Amino acid sequence: MQNKKVTKEFIQGLPKAELHLHLEGTLEPELKLKLAKKNGIDIGQHTIEEIKATYQFDSLSSFLQVYYPAMNVLRDEDDFCELAMDYLKKAKIHNVKYVELFFDPQAHTTRGIPFETVINGYYKATIEACGLGIEAHLIMCFLRDMSAESAMETYKQALPYRDKILGIGLDSDERNNPPRKFADVFALAKKDGFHITMHCDVDQENSIGHIREALMDIGVERLDHGTNIVEDPSLVAYIKERGIGLTCCPMSNGFIVDDLKGKEMLELLHQGIKVTVNSDDPAYFQGYISDNLFALAEKYDMTQEDIIQIAKNSFEIAWISDEKKKEYLNMIDEYVASSNC
Ligand code: ADE
Ligand code: ZN
């Protein structure tokens, strides 16, 4: 198995969990045009090609400048549900069995969409996901370039819907927005029993300082991206001991920092860190989960063993019971035993 070339077919069929996926980042140009028409919104482009031509980004902030305005086409509960269902149908093709979906309520409430429209639309899709054979849950993220007060207000808006939300995250522009800015709201979320995670994007100003804060001061259970941790062996040892995993997104890195960061991911994987591979914003970075795994496998000449370990890690660091983990891990073993790819 060790030297077997990894095929796209093998990767696609491998049972997997996706843990770093922004629902708003799954808005494909086709759906964007459809919803713009339905809701009577002039988005400035009229064809798929025109929309794709606007996808010019080479940094996190230039990506976010394209990303947020696009959300304007999402208006009612059906729009949010359709967006999530479109992703879930694609996830099924990639044999995703389990998914934790990020969503950004402030990106919608700040343009006048009620919180309940967003959560009800997305939650409906998580229920419909069962019919596709996928278990889906929601992670509510705060926008770190908004204030701590706004995050707290959003948290309070979410509390009546607490059974619909599995965890709390932090995303958007990391520059000058360190984890400690949100210490109070994360402490509260933790006390209230939510799982917690946080973006520590690649190659940011003071990346390693932000990773240290997320781990030591906030007490996150996972790091989203987080590959800069490789710079500090004592922090690597810290997450290894606690089984804290990384949700990495190679194709996203390719756009944002012009490097898949596969060298760092593999170094960490081979040190026993629970590295996972995910698609982040697949409509923008032009690849779903199997495409991300395959891009990495090809570029870094990875073994099947590496790919299988990454898939196993995705279930090991998922927020599910040990019993469920065992079921999913058995699914992987059965697939590998019966696969001739
Ligand atoms: N929002 C959507 N994708 C993101 C990313 N990769 N980093 C930070 N915020 C995001
Ligand atoms: Zn992300």
Side-chain angles (χ1 to χ4, degrees):
M1 182 169 73
Q2 194 126 9
N3 296 318
K4 209 167 162 182
K5 183 146 173 60
V6 185
T7 66
K8 209 164 193 174
E9 198 186 347
F10 176 80
I11 288 175
Q12 188 144 341
L14 189 62
K16 45 186 101 59
E18 176 137 70
L19 306 175
H20 186 152
L21 183 283
H22 300 263
L23 280 170
E24 291 85 359
T26 68
L27 181 58
E28 291 284 357
E30 290 79 0
L31 183 61
K32 196 178 188 180
L33 284 175
K34 181 181 155 183
L35 294 179
K37 196 167 171 196
K38 176 195 152 201
N39 293 322
I41 296 159
D42 180 7
I43 55 170
Q45 302 95 34
H46 304 93
T47 64
I48 310 280
E49 292 68 35
E50 279 175 27
I51 292 180
K52 285 200 169 156
T54 67
Y55 292 1
Q56 311 263 352
F57 20 78
D58 56 5
S59 65
L60 182 55
S61 59
S62 60
F63 160 65
L64 295 171
Q65 277 166 29
V66 176
Y67 180 65
Y68 290 120
M71 296 177 199
N72 197 26
V73 299
L74 298 163
R75 292 293 166 104
D76 61 26
E77 212 173 291
D78 289 346
D79 299 344
F80 288 97
C81 185
E82 186 172 2
L83 174 65
M85 284 312 295
D86 269 16
Y87 161 73
L88 288 161
K89 284 176 205 158
K90 291 192 187 83
K92 184 180 168 66
I93 297 168
H94 293 262
N95 213 15
V96 171
K97 298 289 181 195
Y98 176 89
V99 60
E100 291 171 10
L101 305 156
F102 291 137
F103 73 107
D104 286 336
Q106 289 155 296
H108 311 298
T109 53
T110 49
R111 56 187 180 87
I113 309 293
F115 186 93
E116 66 169 335
T117 302
V118 182
I119 187 88
N120 288 342
Y122 284 152
Y123 187 71
K124 190 162 174 236
T126 67
I127 302 299
E128 287 182 20
C130 303
L132 297 171
I134 300 175
E135 180 178 349
H137 296 282
L138 296 173
I139 300 177
M140 179 177 81
C141 291
F142 302 125
L143 300 184
R144 68 197 308 162
D145 41 2
M146 292 190 68
S147 67
E149 291 73 27
S150 172
M152 188 60 88
E153 201 180 297
T154 302
Y155 181 73
K156 291 198 172 137
Q157 279 180 309
L159 282 180
Y161 304 93
R162 58 186 303 159
D163 350 334
K164 296 183 165 73
I165 298 170
L166 181 66
I168 305 291
L170 184 69
D171 61 11
S172 204
D173 201 343
E174 190 167 329
R175 194 152 176 249
N176 298 323
N177 295 303
R180 67 171 182 279
K181 174 175 164 187
F182 300 95
D184 288 349
V185 71
F186 275 90
L188 196 55
K190 217 167 154 180
K191 185 169 85 46
D192 289 342
F194 289 101
H195 288 287
I196 61 170
T197 185
M198 209 170 254
H199 275 60
C200 287
D201 270 282
V202 289
D203 295 349
Q204 296 293 298
E205 267 179 35
N206 196 19
S207 259
I208 199 70
H210 289 189
I211 289 172
R212 190 175 297 111
E213 268 179 35
L215 291 168
M216 305 298 181
D217 302 337
I218 310 291
V220 292
E221 298 166 71
R222 294 201 296 247
L223 290 171
D224 301 314
H225 299 292
T227 38
N228 287 79
I229 199 167
V230 81
E231 295 161 18
D232 185 334
S234 70
L235 289 179
V236 174
Y238 181 89
I239 62 167
K240 184 171 178 181
E241 200 181 317
R242 289 159 181 79
I244 295 172
L246 307 183
T247 65
C248 303
C249 310
M251 292 176 79
S252 155
N253 296 341
F255 273 87
I256 303 286
V257 291
D258 200 21
D259 180 349
L260 301 187
K261 295 287 173 188
K263 185 172 163 288
E264 291 79 355
M265 289 174 207
L266 283 175
E267 192 177 326
L268 291 161
L269 181 74
H270 295 155
Q271 286 183 51
I273 300 303
K274 298 205 179 299
V275 171
T276 65
V277 167
N278 308 269
S279 59
D280 206 5
D281 302 286
Y284 294 91
F285 303 131
Q286 291 156 44
Y288 285 80
I289 189 167
S290 307
D291 308 313
N292 274 270
L293 279 161
F294 191 64
L296 209 58
E298 282 274 279
K299 174 129 200 232
Y300 298 91
D301 208 16
M302 284 167 70
T303 63
Q304 259 198 21
E305 211 174 31
D306 288 331
I307 295 290
I308 294 163
Q309 188 59 54
I310 288 173
K312 288 191 169 177
N313 289 346
S314 71
F315 292 111
E316 279 169 4
I317 65 165
W319 292 331
I320 47 177
S321 67
D322 287 347
E323 212 171 279
K324 273 268 173 73
K325 280 183 196 180
K326 221 180 270 169
E327 271 175 41
Y328 287 123
L329 295 175
N330 284 341
M331 240 183 238
I332 293 182
D333 287 338
E334 278 167 24
Y335 173 77
V336 172
S338 67
S339 166
N340 49 21
C341 309

